[in-house]
């Protein structure tokens, strides 16, 4: 096998320690369903029940789907189930749509804790598990597992201040795509949540700044490094990508799809080549991101002609593999909502991306700490594989 390693020396993480412990509760077969509440405000004439839902929530279901939900007794007005689509709503009425429980797609549930103190907890996120509720995944998420676990302040003699500032459970302070594995930072206290959120906001704001890379290193509170396996051979040892990222309409994604766009928001990724595999026509890279746009690494690497290996959605140019965004589907599923899209969507897995390590200024102690998540075998260099034997 013809393989080459980049000549450039890169700063690397310290050795990865084993997890402190693991937790997680198996998922029930069905989730608990959901309830969505609205208060009616009549700007002109009073709407009918079907008019209200079909006009305000057309991204949730087609008209026939909302008729199905109403006739199925899933909507209540002021506490009473209403099955008449032409029921006239009054100003101030409370309407509640009850989404029936459903079987969510398969997802892992066991989580490894790599670091924990009184303020933060670092989780090694498995690929295939969503971080926050959305779409078909409303229960099978990392947030749910954090809510289900009983958490305590970890110090032996916690202060009153620490008790008062603690939350009921840790919360993620950033996102990783469902198919992305690796480090996920969660806040255990309110002050940690606020400060960590400001760190990530600061990184994203700096991506649009024209200062030199060396200047960023002096001021950043957090630096994140990913591993990725991409298609094709990247010739340069280092590539800096500053392509903006924006939204376009896309079938099956209500808020739109993030793609490379000249009218989008600023984003910066620094790519270092680790190994080139000429025989397989693929390159192993480390990516440091200076911003946190959704799907940024997938978009940026595909933009330069090297999509992540196995990425079902993005292709050369940082755009979707599906060219047409004109899509109309009035058919509905058993619950009244749209049928599951047949075209790829952002939550689909298959690509190879891992949040490998980060350097963080601790939100309360200001200590600089480095956290590392173990690499999947596919994303290890030959030297790393040899050391693991």
């Amino acid at each position: 096998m013809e393989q080459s390693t980049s000549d450039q020396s890169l700063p690397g993480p310290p050795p990865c320690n084993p997890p402190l412990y693991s937790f997680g509760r198996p998922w029930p077969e069905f989730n608990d369903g959901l309830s969505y509440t609205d208060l009616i405000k009549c700007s002109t004439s009073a709407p009918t029940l079907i008019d209200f839902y079909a006009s305000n929530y057309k991204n949730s279901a087609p008209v026939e789907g909302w008729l199905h939900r109403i006739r199925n007794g899933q909507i209540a007005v002021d506490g009473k189930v209403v099955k008449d689509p032409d029921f006239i709503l009054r100003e101030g009425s409370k309407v509640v749509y009850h989404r029936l429980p459903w079987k969510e797609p398969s997802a892992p549930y066991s989580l490894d804790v790599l670091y924990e103190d009184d303020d933060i907890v670092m989780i090694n996120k498995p690929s295939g598990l969503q971080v926050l509720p959305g779409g078909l995944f409303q229960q099978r998420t990392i947030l749910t597992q954090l809510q289900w676990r009983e958490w305590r302040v970890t110090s032996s003699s916690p202060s009153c201040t620490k008790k008062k500032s603690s939350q009921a459970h840790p919360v993620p302070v950033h996102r990783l795509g469902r198919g992305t594995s690796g480090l996920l930072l969660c806040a255990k206290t309110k002050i940690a949540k606020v400060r960590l959120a400001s760190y990530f906001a600061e990184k994203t704001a700096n991506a649009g700044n024209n200062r030199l890379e060396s200047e960023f290193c002096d001021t950043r509170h957090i630096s994140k490094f990913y591993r990725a396996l991409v298609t094709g051979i990247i010739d340069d040892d280092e590539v800096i990508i500053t392509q903006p990222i924006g939204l376009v309409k896309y079938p099956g994604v209500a808020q739109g799809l993030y793609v490379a766009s000249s009218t989008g928001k600023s984003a910066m990724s620094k790519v270092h080549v680790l190994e080139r595999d000429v025989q397989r026509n693929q390159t192993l890279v480390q990516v440091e991101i200076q911003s946190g746009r959704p799907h940024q690494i997938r978009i940026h690497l595909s933009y330069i002609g090297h999509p992540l290996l196995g990425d079902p959605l993005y292709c050369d140019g940082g755009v979707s593999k599906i060219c047409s965004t004109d899509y109309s589907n009035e058919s509905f599923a058993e619950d009244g909502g749209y049928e599951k899209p047949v075209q790829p969507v952002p939550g689909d897995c298959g690509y190879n991306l891992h949040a490998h390590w980060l350097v963080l200024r601790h939100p309360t102690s200001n200590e600089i700490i480095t956290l590392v998540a173990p690499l999947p075998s596919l994303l290890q260099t030959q030297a790393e594989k040899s050391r693991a034997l």
Side-chain angles (χ1 to χ4, degrees), residues 33 54 85 96 126-127 160 165 167 189 193 227 229 231-232 238 250 252 285-286 294 315-316 335 340 342 348 375:
V96 181
S127 175
C160 295
S165 66
Q167 304 172 129
T189 62
K193 179 182 176 182
R227 279 286 177 94
L229 189 61
T231 58
E238 179 180 300
Y250 187 79
V285 297
Q286 173 179 285
C315 62
D316 291 4
D335 72 342
K340 187 180 185 300
V342 295
D348 291 343
L375 285 164

Side-chain angles (χ1 to χ4, degrees), residues 322-342:
I322 305 297
C323 297
S324 174
T325 57
D326 296 326
Y327 178 81
S328 177
N329 179 15
E330 292 301 311
S331 63
F332 60 91
E334 185 179 354
D335 72 342
Y338 290 104
E339 294 282 2
K340 187 180 185 300
V342 295

Side-chain angles (χ1 to χ4, degrees), residues 1-3 231-233 277-282 309 382:
M1 184 192 329
E2 185 179 350
Q3 213 158 28
T231 58
I233 302 300
D277 189 334
V278 178
Q279 182 175 331
R280 292 189 173 92
N281 192 36
Q282 58 195 36
L309 186 68
Q382 289 302 310

Side-chain angles (χ1 to χ4, degrees), residues 172-218:
V173 293
H174 63 107
R175 296 195 189 202
L176 295 176
R178 190 167 77 90
T180 305
S181 58
L183 292 174
L184 181 73
L185 183 59
C186 304
K188 296 176 69 176
T189 62
K190 295 173 185 176
I191 190 168
K193 179 182 176 182
V194 170
R195 288 182 180 172
L196 290 171
S198 71
Y199 292 178
F200 285 101
E202 174 188 65
K203 277 176 62 68
T204 300
N206 282 342
N209 199 306
N210 291 323
R211 286 183 295 169
L212 297 174
E213 169 70 13
S214 59
E215 293 181 83
F216 284 121
C217 295
D218 295 334

Side-chain angles (χ1 to χ4, degrees), residues 135-153:
L136 292 174
F137 295 93
Q138 295 294 325
Q139 183 181 71
R140 298 185 178 189
T141 68
I142 284 182
L143 180 62
T144 299
Q145 290 292 350
L146 292 172
Q147 292 170 336
W148 283 352
R149 176 175 168 79
E150 183 177 349
W151 297 86
R152 296 182 177 87
V153 176

Side-chain angles (χ1 to χ4, degrees), residues 18-22 112-116:
L20 300 177
Y21 62 90
S22 300
D112 289 341
V113 173
L114 302 176
Y115 176 87
E116 183 179 7

Side-chain angles (χ1 to χ4, degrees), residues 234-246:
I234 299 178
D235 294 325
D236 296 329
D237 286 344
E238 179 180 300
V239 181
I240 295 179
I241 309 168
T242 57
Q243 170 62 33
I245 293 173

Side-chain angles (χ1 to χ4, degrees), residues 237-292:
D237 286 344
E238 179 180 300
V239 181
I240 295 179
I241 309 168
T242 57
Q243 170 62 33
I245 293 173
L247 279 170
V248 296
K249 290 183 179 179
Y250 187 79
V253 184
Q255 74 274 20
L257 178 69
Y258 286 94
V259 297
S261 170
S262 59
T263 59
K265 294 183 178 180
S266 59
M268 181 188 294
S269 302
K270 189 173 183 180
V271 181
H272 295 277
V273 170
L274 300 176
E275 279 186 351
R276 301 177 179 90
D277 189 334
V278 178
Q279 182 175 331
R280 292 189 173 92
N281 192 36
Q282 58 195 36
T283 306
L284 182 65
V285 297
Q286 173 179 285
V287 185
E288 181 184 5
I289 59 172
Q290 301 289 350
S291 51

